[in-house]
Amino acid sequence: MSRQTKPWIKAEQKLGFRAARLPVALGAVQVVFGIVQAGCAARLLAAVLHLARGGGTALLYGVLFAAAALARAYTQMQAERQNFELGAAARRRLRGNVLSVLLALGPAGLRGRHSADLAATAVDRVEAMDGFHARWIPATQMALIGPALVGLVALLVDWRSGLILLVAGMFVPFAMAVAGIGAGVAAKRQFVAMTRLQVRFLDRIRGISTIVLAGRAADEARALGAAAKELRERTMRVLRVAFLSSTALDLAAAAALIFIVLRFVPVMHGALGLAPVALFMVLLVPEFFAPLRGFAVVYGDRMAVEAVADEFSALPPAPEDVPPADIRAVAAHGVTLAFENVGFAWDETRAPVLRDLSFKVGRGEILLLTGASGAGKSTIMDLILGFIAPQDGRVTINGAALETLVPAARTRMLGWIGQKPVIFAGSIEENIRFARPSASEEELWDAVRHAHLEELVNTLPQGLKTPLGEGGFGLSGGQAQRVAIARAFLKDAPLLLLDEPTAHLDPAVERDVLESLKHLAAGRTVVLATHSTMAMDFAKSAGARRVDLDALRYASWRSVPV
Amino acid sequence: MNPMIRIVSLWLREAGWLLLALLLALSALVAGVALMGLSGHYLALSLLGIAAAVPALLPFTGTARVVLRYLERVMSHEAIFRALADLRVWLFRGLAASAAGGLGFRRAGDALARLVNDVDVLDGVFLRVFVPLLGGVLLLPILAWVLARESLPALLVLLPFLAVAFILPWRAARAARANAARAGLAMASLRSASLDALHGLREVKIFAAEGRMLAEVQAREADLLAAQRDLVWRGSALNAWAFILAQGGILLAIGCGFFGAPVAAIVAVLVLVTSFETVLGLPRAGLLYGQSAAAAQRVVRAAEAGPPVPDPAKPAAMPARNNIVFEHVAFRYAEDRPFVFENLSLQLPEGSRTAILGPSGAGKSTIAALLLKLIAPVRGQIRLGGVDISTLPAEALRHRIAYLGQTTHLFADTIRNNLLLGDPAADEARLWAALEAAQVADVVRALPEGLDSWLGEGGATLSGGQGRRLALARTLLMDAPILLLDEPCAGLDAATEMEFFRVLNSATEGRTVLLILHRLTGVEQLDRIWRLTGGALVAAAG
């Protein structure tokens, strides 16, 4: 568990307790109805024994008992629904926070984290927090309030029995503490054991084809069985001791019952009027211990938090919104991009990727960035995109430093195509419109035509409405890249960044895609990073200037017309 | 067969433990019922003025209840842990024997992860449905006996007990089953919307779609919450009914008292309070059962799918030689799908080094799957050393062919155990030799715990290239005469890729090598290069 985890759980707990007031109040009301019921039942039973008054009152108590039971059923139902709402609200809040932070940080802030893992935080880990808010928080409160209410009534009606109950109630945590166990150990060990087994199992299942193809399936099945056995034996050793804490609860409940019965023995024959009281006290015993049992049941929900809290607390804080110092209007068409003595390192312990880099791309020009992988091509792209900020120097657009531009205005100016475009679940149309949802039908079709997607779209039975992604039509690498090009056409940004746009394509497809890109590049300021000779030739033919990052690594800068 | 019954029948393997746990659970219940019953009986007699000694059984039943509850907890957990292990090993064996090889091959990691989740759900069924339900069933005759002894009309109170223990859970299961599909769909959409937003973070930022993506996720979340809310509402109503029935039962028992069975009434009331305590959770268990039905179905279907290519009944002897011939092979994934290739012929002489190039989707990986007997040709023959591989056992065939693919998995385990998967009998020297050949020995040596360093979560992290080379070391350890490499460098940058192939050239000398790639880096040493286009192999300049 990391250092920030505990405060994070504390903060969640505080939020949870504050939100849980209504369901806890309902829970308390429910306990009160329970006490009323026990009282009525005791009276009724006393009447049955012909010890109390006549039948008329018995009927009254019968009606009261039924009414209290109905009211209690209703309150309980409402409390259950309110508890769900607690969990739902907490999940909504957590998921909103996680996604807002991740979306605000952008790709550079999450370097090294896999998107599937982050999605697991936003989906599964948030779901795992449900039990904490919907069950554990109310149960914790009720474990105090419930016995306190029942104990108080018992004290008022028959102080000796009340004392027995309260002592038995105190004994529960006391016994746990004396045994040095703590209520959670059993649940915790069991939870940890299950998690370990599950992780190992998931890992082996994910790699099952590797195991099968290595001809080791039988061995691994045996190993899996052996691991489960070892885990069981180790866990059971702990559990055998830890279950003693649950036993403390049983012991307290049984002892309380017996002592209350015995407490009435000496007085019974002398004072028959005690009958309703004696029966009332006996019936209160289960009421007294029910909330404590309820608390023991939800301990697993508390444990589940420990398993996921690290991920939440390790999320970086949302970036602060620095109000732009100087808001500038930038011409909608034609921009000049310049790097002025830019230096950047991913972290302080590593050598800078870029040192004192300067170059300038005028409106309508193409800049070709070359260099081995790791030379800083993607870093330059991220700097222009504003995902990261330079430590030295500045990046300017039309003379204005990037960070002084209103983010929305900056985003409007930028077009980008990477190695492999992300295709979202949805139709082709939705994927292209992603660039500009408000685009007209005409603009959409223009983009489709310019990206040479028309032919493909026409062969598909549902045309532009054909669903893509999982379970839908699978686009080839070249087709996906055309969707990205269509997006760029639709966005119509004056500054176009091309980050190895043809790295994953076959030569024939690459030529085709470059042809479309040429069309897209016309009239825009373009930065093209590439390894491919074909793409370099394309840039040269378009009159590009070239920055060779390998050659420039430690030099200041030069711009070589190719 | 009902998939849930199949799952339960698996648990029956631990019948001894289960029976012991159940007996203890039942004894604890009986002790609890007896404790309440005795207390009631004694109280009632005393109150009626009938002199009765404090029953000696009272403290005894109290102690018995506490001790039995403890033993029950220990035994039921022993049984649960055994059942958990059985279920997992069974699923693993089933998957390994069935389509799993093919599943993993086709990057179906998510489907597999979902199966693991399903198994998790089924553990809950054992814990919270199976054991309490059997407890309820066994409690019924005992309760009937206790009540009948006191007074026959008191048996009437069994009606609400039956309703709470069996009818309400059944209703709950039905409601949950209908809801499970809806909630499952909502969950899947929420997952895919979140994954889209985060996977496409770059695009999202560049196209200023943060707000749109967040709204989309929140809309899916609202769907999920609505589905869950629906179930909670039904569940809470059923619980309210269960409670009302239980209280009705108690009122009924008291009513019996007015018809001349005062002692019986008190005993019945106190016994019922305890009995209902044990079955009031069953409607909720019914919900869980209903939700797990789909999980059980998926797990059973996956585990019992059967092998994709059945092994021959009478396998032929493994050939001595290792040359491979594809002869007029035709294949398609399903009757209604187009042929991947209709007439593919290929020869891989012993010791030759061949590459097959082609764009993704051309069917390169299909060739690897055919060779590994994960799928079978529709027409034509594939021969190893002159013997049709359809007559050879798959396991023996795969011992001849060491496969390294883009989905080859490194396990969250020590480096040593990862390597031993290639050859469990390999000694220290052979492990290091393989690491040297794959040129990762230096990397491993630099780790503080060397071969015993843990990989994956919480362990040493290798770079992409190092991981691939470690996988290569494992493949080399298999000592198979044929090496089949399918895009072994997918996802690596160009420099790392080139380095990998340089290592490969020297490490695989003397073996038959088939490389499946979308393009060459130029450093591979090859005898033949084929290009797969339009379902045919065309010689490429090499």
Side-chain angles (χ1 to χ4, degrees), chain A residues 37 85 95 240 265 491 506, chain B residues 42 70 206 221 229 359:
Chain A
Q37 266 196 295
E85 296 304 334
R95 190 167 284 132
R240 276 196 284 273
V265 170
K491 185 168 181 190
D506 289 297
Chain B
Y42 173 59
Y70 172 77
I206 288 160
E221 182 185 49
R229 185 174 293 115

Side-chain angles (χ1 to χ4, degrees), chain A residues 77 96 127 179 183 190 222 226 233 249 396 426 532 535-536 543 550 553:
Chain A
M77 185 173 82
E127 287 299 303
Q190 197 184 342
R222 261 194 304 281
E233 284 167 357
L249 191 60
T396 65
S532 143
M536 285 187 213
D550 289 338
R553 198 87 202 250

Side-chain angles (χ1 to χ4, degrees), chain B residues 131-321:
Chain B
V131 175
L133 188 69
L134 280 178
V137 169
L138 293 176
L139 184 62
L140 193 63
I142 295 171
L143 201 57
W145 179 73
V146 171
L147 292 173
R149 242 175 47 126
E150 298 287 347
S151 121
L152 277 178
L155 278 178
L156 266 181
V157 305
L158 283 182
L159 287 177
F161 181 85
L162 281 172
V164 173
F166 305 109
I167 296 176
L168 288 181
W170 174 72
R171 290 282 306 270
R174 270 198 358 184
R177 194 169 309 175
N179 183 278
R182 183 179 156 207
L185 199 65
M187 190 70 192
S189 327
L190 171 63
R191 199 182 298 280
S192 102
S194 307
L195 199 56
D196 260 6
L198 296 172
H199 182 54
L201 208 45
R202 216 161 250 280
E203 271 88 347
V204 169
K205 292 296 272 186
I206 288 160
F207 294 110
E210 293 100 324
R212 280 183 270 155
M213 287 321 239
L214 192 60
E216 178 69 19
V217 171
Q218 282 170 341
R220 300 284 82 81
E221 182 185 49
D223 290 346
L224 176 69
L225 291 178
Q228 291 175 342
R229 185 174 293 115
D230 193 43
L231 194 63
V232 168
W233 278 59
R234 281 162 192 271
S236 61
L238 284 170
N239 276 339
W241 275 115
F243 181 77
I244 290 170
L245 281 168
Q247 301 306 305
I250 289 171
L251 206 55
L252 208 61
I254 296 173
C256 289
F258 289 107
F259 296 98
V263 178
I266 291 191
V267 172
V269 167
L270 292 185
V271 163
L272 278 179
V273 168
T274 316
S275 307
F276 275 114
E277 216 171 86
T278 59
V279 294
L280 275 178
L282 281 174
R284 197 178 298 278
L287 287 180
L288 184 66
Y289 178 87
Q291 286 171 311
S292 328
Q297 192 173 9
R298 280 193 293 267
V299 168
V300 170
R301 193 182 292 160
E304 300 189 333
V309 181
D311 258 359
K314 280 192 195 141
M318 286 301 288
R321 302 191 57 81

